[in-house]
Amino acid sequence: METTISENQKNTSAFIHLSTFLKYFFPFANFIAPLLIWTFNKEKTFVDEHGKQAINFQLSVLVYTVLIGLICLPFFIIFATDFISLIETIDHNSGAFSVNNIQNLSGYILLFGLAILLLLGLFVFELYAVINASIHASRGLLYKYPLSIPFIKTNLNPIQNEHIS
């Protein structure tokens, strides 16, 4: 790796990581923005490494989100059929609500609560990791995201951890 890292490279690398937050304003911007910035600056070793790390982490977060959805899918299907029978029961009883109906709803509440908790945990983890990576980049340090799947091979030594100096 280059011995001197210019301020431009530090700022570009930090901006690559921060550009992933554009997904909250534009669909798939967490892939497109860092990919564009990285592509135009990949001849610089420091920026190239941060670009690879940012793309790998965003792809990993996508995989984790899809896995959470796939894990919850069978439960949604099971509860959806039960929910239809619950609605029919409520409709036939003219709005009389019983303890049995509340017990049927507890499964829905538990499922939605678990899915929201998992997605919230993933959001907080992503927020922490991206901000931490941006800080490392702005200081001229390399950063390896925790729990990142290496879709694009990086130059970091596997012995090194996420707090590389």
Side-chain angles (χ1 to χ4, degrees):
M1 190 167 104
E2 302 160 1
T3 55
T4 59
I5 300 166
S6 70
E7 283 300 312
N8 183 30
Q9 290 179 26
K10 293 177 187 178
N11 292 337
T12 303
S13 297
F15 190 60
I16 286 173
H17 295 291
L18 292 174
S19 70
T20 61
F21 289 135
L22 288 173
K23 74 179 180 181
Y24 299 111
F25 303 103
F26 306 104
F28 302 108
N30 59 322
F31 301 111
I32 297 167
L35 190 60
L36 286 173
I37 299 166
W38 172 51
T39 302
F40 291 126
N41 296 286
K42 69 171 26 174
E43 70 280 351
K44 301 168 189 145
T45 308
F46 185 75
V47 177
D48 183 49
E49 190 61 37
H50 278 278
K52 289 175 182 178
Q53 291 293 333
I55 297 296
N56 279 340
F57 185 67
Q58 289 305 307
L59 289 170
S60 299
V61 168
L62 176 66
V63 167
Y64 298 144
T65 304
V66 168
L67 285 176
I68 290 171
L70 289 176
I71 289 170
C72 292
L73 185 64
F75 298 107
F76 280 118
I77 293 170
I78 291 168
F79 290 137
T81 57
D82 191 37
F83 184 73
I84 293 170
S85 65
L86 177 65
I87 296 298
E88 289 174 353
T89 303
I90 291 171
D91 191 36
H92 287 11
N93 292 336
S94 302
F97 215 68
S98 69
V99 174
N100 186 31
N101 293 340
I102 294 172
Q103 287 175 345
N104 287 346
L105 284 177
S106 67
Y108 303 113
I109 295 167
L110 181 65
L111 174 66
F112 288 120
L114 180 62
I116 288 171
L117 187 64
L118 287 172
L119 291 172
L120 181 65
L122 186 60
F123 168 75
V124 169
F125 172 67
E126 180 185 11
L127 191 66
Y128 160 78
V130 169
I131 291 172
N132 203 8
S134 301
I135 291 170
H136 275 74
S138 68
R139 292 180 180 164
L141 304 172
L142 291 175
Y143 183 80
K144 183 180 182 304
Y145 282 98
L147 303 177
S148 181
I149 303 167
F151 295 103
I152 303 169
K153 296 296 177 199
T154 61
N155 300 326
L156 289 179
N157 194 343
I159 296 171
Q160 298 170 318
N161 66 9
E162 65 270 5
H163 302 290
I164 301 165
S165 54

